[in-house]
Each structure stands twice: as structure tokens, then as C-alpha cells.
Amino acid sequence: MTTYESCKDQYKTIIETTKDGYWVNDSSGKILEVNGAYCEMSGYTKEELLCISIIDIEANESAVNTNKHIEKIIQKGSDIFETRHRAKNGLIYDVEITVTFLSQNGGLFFVFIRDISLRKQYEKELLLSSKVFSTMGDGVIITDIDLNIIDVNDSFCKITGYVHHEILGNKPSMFSSGWMEKEFYLELWNRIKNDGYWQGEIIDRKKNGEIYTSETSIVVVKNKEEKITHYIAISSDITIKKEQEKAINSLAYYDTLTKLPNRFFFEERVNTKVASAKRNSEKIALLFIDLDNFKTINDSFGHMVGDKFLQNVAQILKSCVREEDIVGRFGGDEFMILIKDFNNIADLAIISTKITGMFTKPFRIGKDEVFSGASIGISVFPENGDSYHELMYAADTAMYHAKVSRKGGYEFYSAVMGENVAKRLEFEKNLRKALENDEFHMVYQPKIDLTQNRIYGMEALIRWVNPVLGFVSPDQFIPILEENGFIYEVGLWIIKRTLSDTKKFHELGFEDLIVSINVSYIQLENERFVIDFRDIVNEIGVPREFIELEITESQIMNNIEAALVKLDEITKCGVKISIDDFGTGYSSLSYLKKLPAKTIKIDKSFVLDIDKDENDKSIVKAIIELSKSLNKSVIAEGSETQNHIDILKELGCDKVQGYFYSKPLKYDDFIEYINTFKKR
């Protein structure tokens, strides 16, 4: 049975309800399936179409060129183009083709066909006929040479939700969704300048804020002197069409149970990455994961529990790797992971240990508890192979050895992890002893209120100096603390030491100093965190209104619903919440409104080039305005020059933190800095 036939029942409803024509053809051009919309469009019956080839319908290209085009699509994987078809009655009409090629089972082409004859006619006549302009189904905008909108038709108003008077006099940028890159528009206008037209897809925004995909054609209107006088944009809302294409692609490329990439899609991605790795001398790895005792789970608890278990495993595996890595399911109890661009073999050992560690506790599925394990085989490019099949063989072989030698473990195909593993283990050993050996200390970076020219607060930052390793950057050891769970114990030490120092600052006369403490979401996930935090606050005695916890935006967005619950618990303790590194985590505005945060900290990556990059400046301005609209305080970190300070003032940011004022300072140095600052 072909992939097409196995998926037919699932996407039949989609293809039969679309207004666009749809067919499936093989590599020879023979039509295998067609919907009613295309039958109506072409005048053929379904039976007639299933007996002919696309060469019999194609009116633009010769048979030779059509076959060349098919080969081109096979290489690209998809294409969007315009051509002409010949109806049964001999009439030739314009169509737009959207085609996706799947390589398995000899190759299948999934094709959407839209009749654009009317649109093409309108474009040729430049829509200067007012009757056509007002009655056509596509939306139309007419602008002058300066891109001021001078007219729109009713269809455009219907698409966007605006009325005429709200649009006229504005520029088309009023519909911008913010999703399209600056480079996209530069290329668009370059094409219009050179060719006199542009055609493509744009993601725009309606009046109600809804995002939609617009299929748009832009043409220029010239006078007798060949000077441009107007621009005309013809657009249609193809959001539903895009969703239908996405649904069909999902059926072909993804496992229906776990929603992970299936075997075919995974193989395609690995082949693509192998080719890239060869060109760029990159390292990639495959992890072949086989679940232990899965048959027993199915036999003992039934397939429904087994399915739920597999869905849980899929989520666990995704949580153990980076977003750019790919987790796939091959069927049954076999999963694969493609690890891209890793640094050394030790990284793969850490990931594998993390995965196997997830199986040390039972899985709760409803009222049932199920026990399983994961055996992992690892292959590395290029050491263990330079193709998908070679790497798969190596990973599969290594997995077999792992399963035989020690269930619930992992094996490298090479069997030797190298010096990096030993170094990593030694590093982690030193890190675990750092707390008991008193190798950690705290430093404090002042926060400045520009309107009052005073230090109003400080951020507490941990530092590690090891007798052998010397100074170790937090970027090196904090991720490892988070990976092995030791961050919780170290985090409580940070809170206690920081609050003790803060109390001393208050007793020295700096009683209005607010302290910000960074908290990892791994700490928040611990069910005892709020209790332990509250106990330390009560023990030290720092007033809660002078305590702020900083949590990075990306960590909050990893599990927003759980974060909202935990952050509400913390705010009930009377302390403040600050969203750190804002702008890097893709926060939803609806969730941002719900977050009980009092402060938003602009990520330094946007501030560092604010005086050189207009995009960064625009982002910072938008964040400041957004924060103020939500009644939240805003602070910019990474403020390192006078230019930074001046621009931030200009944009309305009145609180800053950065090396322009001071680097992070030890306790005694911080006291000296405050006293010196007061004398300015």
C-alpha cells in the first residue's frame, strides 16, 4: 500500500472541501487522485482525469519541458509557479500551482491548483475599470508614488476588517504583522524596481490583530512618459489554503501518535544535515533509542496505556535536547535523535545520561504506574560513517550492545569517549565540592535610576574561583549545575548569602537598596522552593519589598502555565518578580499581561549596538513602550557607554545597569562605590 493510499482517508475531507483544485500524480505525470473542484475547473470528469497525464492538460510547457520541471521539483522538494491549463472544451486558462514532492514509494506530487484567470486579466488591465475594481473578489490597494493609499476596494476591507476611511491616507505598512524581515521588503522593492511587478506571499495583520497569509501581486502604473504614477497591490487571504497544505504535509511527514517526525522525514533531515556537515566540517550524531519492557506494558495495561506512555516518552526526549535538534519516531518503541553541531563527545554522554535518568522513576498513566528504561546507541559523523545508512547502522549496532550489556544505559559505536569526557567528569567533581570548600562568592552590580542619579538597587551574581582551575565563568558552570540538579542547593546558598549582605547594606544606611537575585526555573520546579525561600527570608529578616527575583523570559516560556502558578505563589510572599533577558523568549502578549512581574529587563544583546543598529534601537523602543503600557518598570542591562545612556534616556528608559557605571563588585568594593557615587 502506498503512502498516498494509507493517508487518503485522513485527508479526504480536506481536499474535497477546498475551493482550489487538487490532485496527486506520480513521477511520470500520471494523475492518481483528483478532487471535485479541479473537475469543475477543467470540465473533465474524475474518471477521465485519472486516465490521462498532466502533459495532456499542460498548455504552457512542452512535454520535454514539463518533464524537466518535474525533475526540478524532485530536487527542490516543492515549488510554486504559474502556468496555463487546457480545459476539456479546449479553453486555455491561467492557474497557480503549489506542489510538494515526497520521495518514498517512487515519488508522489501533492498539487494544489488555483484558477487565476480572472486575476491575471485584472492585472493586465491594471484594474483601472472602476466596475471591476469594486466587484472583484480579491482585495485591491492603489497608492500614489509616495505609497500613500488613495483607494481600496470592498474586498480588501472585508479581508482586513477596516473600513475605507481608516485606510485612506495611510501607508501599506499599517498592515505589517512584524513577521517579515527587513531583507524581505528590500528584495520586494528591488524586484519591483527592476521588473515592474512582484508576486509572493506576505504575512499581514488584520484590524482585530489576527495574523493572516496574503497572496499578493504588486504592479506599477506608468504614464505616457514611462514614469511611475501609482502602485497597485492585488491580494487574497490564503490562510485556509496554507493550513490545508500544512495538514497534508503533517500526515505525510509526522507520526500521528506522537507528532514527531516519522522515519521518512527524519531520514530526509539527516541527509540534509550530513551534506551541510561535509561542506562546513561540522559534527553531528545520531542517538538510537529503544525502550525496555514496552511489550510488557502493552500486554499488561493495554494499547491505550501504551500509546499514552509513548506520547510521554516523546515529550521527555524533546525536553532533553535543544530546540534545533530533531527527535523522531521510527515506529513501535524505537526513537531517533539527530544532534546538530555538538562540541565534543562528552556532550552526547550528558544528553544520554539525562535521557536514561528520566526512566529511573515510574511513569504515571492515569491510575497506573508503568516502569521502563531506555537503551541508547550513539554514532558520530564523520568517525562512524558519512551517510544516513552508515550512521544508522552504527547507532543501531551500538544500541544492541547497550541493551545486551546493561539495559538502561548507552554505548558509543567507537566505544571510546576521549579525553573530553574525563575532563568533564573532573570539572563536575570540582564543582560539587565548591560549595563545601567555600569556593563561591557573591558580587553585586549596581542599578542606576537616571532620573534621580542614584543607586536604587543591585543584581547579585555568583562567582567561582577554584584552586586548580582558577576563575571559572558562570557561563561554564551554571548550565552544569542545572543539568545535574545541584543548582537547587547552590541556589539556596546564593539567596542566603545575598540576603545576609543586603541586610548589612541596610544597616550601614543604604536602607532603600533593592536586591535582585537570579533564579533558575529548575529551582522553581522544585516543590519545596517557595517554602525554603520563605524560611530564608524570615531567618535573615530583610523586608520583602526590597527583594526581587529575576527569571529569564525563555525559561518562563518553556512552561508558561506552570510558571504562572509558581510566580503567583512567590508574589504572595511579598517579593517582586523581574523578567530577565526580555526580548529573547518570544513571549505572547496575552501571557505577558498575566505574568505578575513588576519589572522587565531588556536583554543586553539589544542594548550593546543600540547606537549602531536601528533595528536594535526600534526593538528597545518597542519594549519600553510595551512595558509602560502594561504599567511595568523597565531597566536596560548592558549599558556600557555614554551613547547607550543618552539613547536610553531619549527612548524613555530611566533605569540602567552596565559597565558604564560599574562592573559587578565584591561586598567591600560595593560599599566604597556607593559612598563615592553619593559624592558625585
Side-chain angles (χ1 to χ4, degrees), residues 373-531:
S375 298
I376 306 174
I378 307 167
S379 63
V380 177
F381 170 89
E383 288 87 344
N384 305 140
D386 62 358
S387 70
Y388 167 78
H389 293 290
E390 290 177 355
L391 291 171
M392 273 295 301
Y393 172 80
D396 190 10
T397 302
M399 185 278 296
Y400 173 78
H401 285 284
K403 209 170 186 68
V404 171
S405 61
R406 45 169 182 168
K407 277 193 175 183
Y410 63 88
E411 288 284 348
F412 286 83
Y413 181 70
S414 63
V416 178
M417 295 189 221
E419 296 180 0
N420 288 334
V421 174
K423 290 180 181 179
R424 168 62 186 254
L425 294 175
E426 184 66 22
F427 185 88
E428 189 167 341
K429 179 181 176 182
N430 286 324
L431 184 56
R432 285 188 173 275
K433 292 183 178 180
L435 192 56
E436 63 182 83
N437 292 341
D438 198 27
E439 296 173 10
F440 292 128
H441 68 272
M442 300 305 299
V443 293
Y444 303 96
Q445 187 170 36
K447 295 182 177 182
I448 312 298
D449 185 328
L450 297 176
T451 59
Q452 301 179 26
N453 193 32
R454 70 180 183 91
I455 300 172
Y456 76 92
M458 59 184 180
E459 179 180 4
L461 301 163
I462 189 173
R463 295 292 184 261
W464 178 28
V465 180
N466 178 267
V468 177
L469 302 174
F471 173 80
V472 183
S473 168
D475 290 339
Q476 289 181 270
F477 69 82
I478 289 179
I480 296 177
L481 289 175
E482 292 179 331
E483 287 173 10
N484 60 29
F486 197 41
I487 188 67
Y488 189 77
E489 186 177 348
V490 174
L492 294 180
W493 177 88
I494 291 172
I495 294 170
K496 192 167 186 176
R497 175 60 60 88
T498 298
L499 292 184
S500 296
D501 286 348
T502 302
K503 185 177 181 179
K504 294 176 186 176
F505 287 137
H506 286 183
E507 291 172 348
L508 288 172
F510 314 122
E511 62 276 353
D512 59 349
L513 203 61
I514 299 172
V515 64
S516 300
I517 305 172
N518 291 285
V519 177
S520 166
Y521 192 70
I522 294 176
Q523 296 171 257
L524 296 182
E525 286 182 322
N526 191 302
E527 59 185 15
R528 282 201 53 84
F529 177 77
V530 176
I531 298 171

Side-chain angles (χ1 to χ4, degrees), residues 53 63 84 140 153 156 158 179 216 284 296 423 499 521:
S53 166
R84 295 189 297 166
V140 182
N153 68 350
F156 187 81
K158 185 177 180 181
W179 283 42
T216 301
I284 62 174
T296 303
K423 290 180 181 179
L499 292 184
Y521 192 70

Side-chain angles (χ1 to χ4, degrees), residues 574-592:
V575 303
K576 302 180 181 68
I577 299 293
S578 173
I579 301 178
D580 196 8
D581 297 343
F582 187 82
T584 62
Y586 310 103
S587 292
S588 162
L589 288 180
S590 60
Y591 282 121
L592 188 58

Side-chain angles (χ1 to χ4, degrees), residues 30 150 179 267 296 311-312 340 426 497 537 592 614:
K30 178 176 173 56
I150 60 175
W179 283 42
E267 179 178 350
T296 303
Q311 290 171 340
N312 285 354
K340 302 180 179 181
E426 184 66 22
R497 175 60 60 88
V537 173
L592 188 58
E614 284 298 321

